[in-house]
Amino acid sequence: MNRDSMAFRYFKLILGLFLYAMSIVISINANLGSFPWEVFHLGLSNIFSVKLGTANMIIGLIIILIGAFKGKKPGMGTILNMILIGTFTNLIMELDFLPTYSNIYIRVLTLGVSMLLLAFASYLYIGSAFGAGPRDGLMLLLYENTDKSIRFIRNSIEISVLIIGYILGGPIGIGTVILSLGTGYAVQFVFNILNFDTNNVEHRTWDDEMEMFKKLIVRNE
């Protein structure tokens, strides 16, 4: 694979992670509740007085370490997912350039925008084929080590983090219900429009990245 195509894949990955962070902030700005994981992250940020994106990064790092302990090497996309979504989330919230609305109908509409944006962001970063994000990796790790279905595991994880996040003071509202029920449909809708099948994506591993960097070093010596 030539370097130009690899550079484009990294561009897709980083753009996807940026848009993913934007979708998170848009959902929060609607002030109707947020995605289950963000309820958890917001609860943690309240308890430990850290920024939302920082809480996101900490949890991502913990999940990556658990996976590594169980023998699953993270891909470059896993590492960048952990670092950049949290970094971008903090940056977007600090710059405060995304609008907020008082009209309830527009606020509900912005939840739809956040779901579609998250779906497109997922298409970009999954399509770059650099590995699953930490939370998707956790889902796959549990799937491989239990006899439960992917749907059961995903729902169990999201319900668990939602309950814990609520206990920690994370915001839950009608928006949480809309996002929890609608995000999967939004992702499927966008993937169908773009004719994107995740089964056709061959992800690069950490070993693939190390081998590429070694070749670049040798070539430049």
Side-chain angles (χ1 to χ4, degrees):
M1 182 172 295
N2 61 57
R3 294 173 64 178
D4 288 338
S5 63
M6 185 62 67
F8 179 68
R9 286 172 63 180
Y10 269 105
F11 171 76
K12 282 178 62 177
L13 172 65
I14 294 171
L15 177 60
L17 298 179
F18 176 75
L19 295 179
Y20 200 102
M22 281 192 65
S23 74
I24 290 172
V25 179
I26 289 171
S27 74
I28 292 171
N29 283 0
N31 198 27
L32 293 170
S34 194
F35 296 101
W37 274 105
E38 298 321 309
V39 173
F40 179 47
H41 297 148
L42 285 164
L44 288 176
S45 69
N46 290 334
I47 292 294
F48 296 105
S49 299
V50 296
K51 295 177 180 179
L52 172 62
T54 304
N56 187 309
M57 284 187 278
I58 292 171
I59 295 302
L61 177 60
I62 291 173
I63 293 173
I64 288 174
L65 292 175
I66 291 172
F69 179 75
K70 299 294 289 186
K72 290 188 71 68
K73 291 182 180 180
M76 183 62 73
T78 312
I79 302 295
L80 292 179
N81 184 300
M82 181 267 294
I83 296 172
L84 292 183
I85 289 181
T87 301
F88 287 145
T89 298
N90 285 342
L91 179 63
I92 293 168
M93 295 185 80
E94 287 175 7
L95 294 177
D96 195 25
F97 61 86
L98 293 175
T100 57
Y101 303 96
S102 58
N103 184 288
I104 184 64
Y105 299 107
I106 297 180
R107 288 160 64 192
V108 171
L109 181 62
T110 60
L111 291 179
V113 172
S114 72
M115 286 189 287
L116 290 173
L117 186 59
L118 182 145
F120 182 64
S122 298
Y123 157 74
L124 288 174
Y125 90 75
I126 294 173
S128 67
F130 284 108
R135 289 151 191 80
D136 289 334
L138 174 63
M139 178 183 67
L140 294 174
L141 178 65
L142 293 174
Y143 175 69
E144 293 168 1
N145 288 275
T146 67
D147 58 354
K148 304 299 183 182
S149 68
I150 283 286
R151 179 180 297 178
F152 176 84
I153 290 171
R154 184 183 182 91
N155 289 340
S156 298
I157 290 173
E158 296 209 344
I159 290 171
S160 298
V161 297
L162 184 62
I163 292 172
I164 296 171
Y166 177 71
I167 293 172
L168 295 177
I172 290 180
I174 185 62
T176 308
V177 177
I178 294 172
L179 293 167
S180 297
L181 297 177
T183 300
Y185 291 103
V187 170
Q188 190 63 56
F189 174 72
V190 170
F191 283 14
N192 286 342
I193 286 179
L194 298 173
N195 195 28
F196 178 62
D197 185 353
T198 57
N199 292 323
N200 295 331
V201 178
E202 185 176 347
H203 288 282
R204 289 175 63 84
T205 66
W206 181 260
D207 291 337
D208 292 330
E209 299 307 315
M210 293 301 100
E211 184 65 25
M212 183 188 72
F213 289 134
K214 287 178 183 178
K215 289 180 179 178
L216 289 176
I217 291 172
V218 171
R219 185 181 303 172
N220 293 325
E221 284 181 348

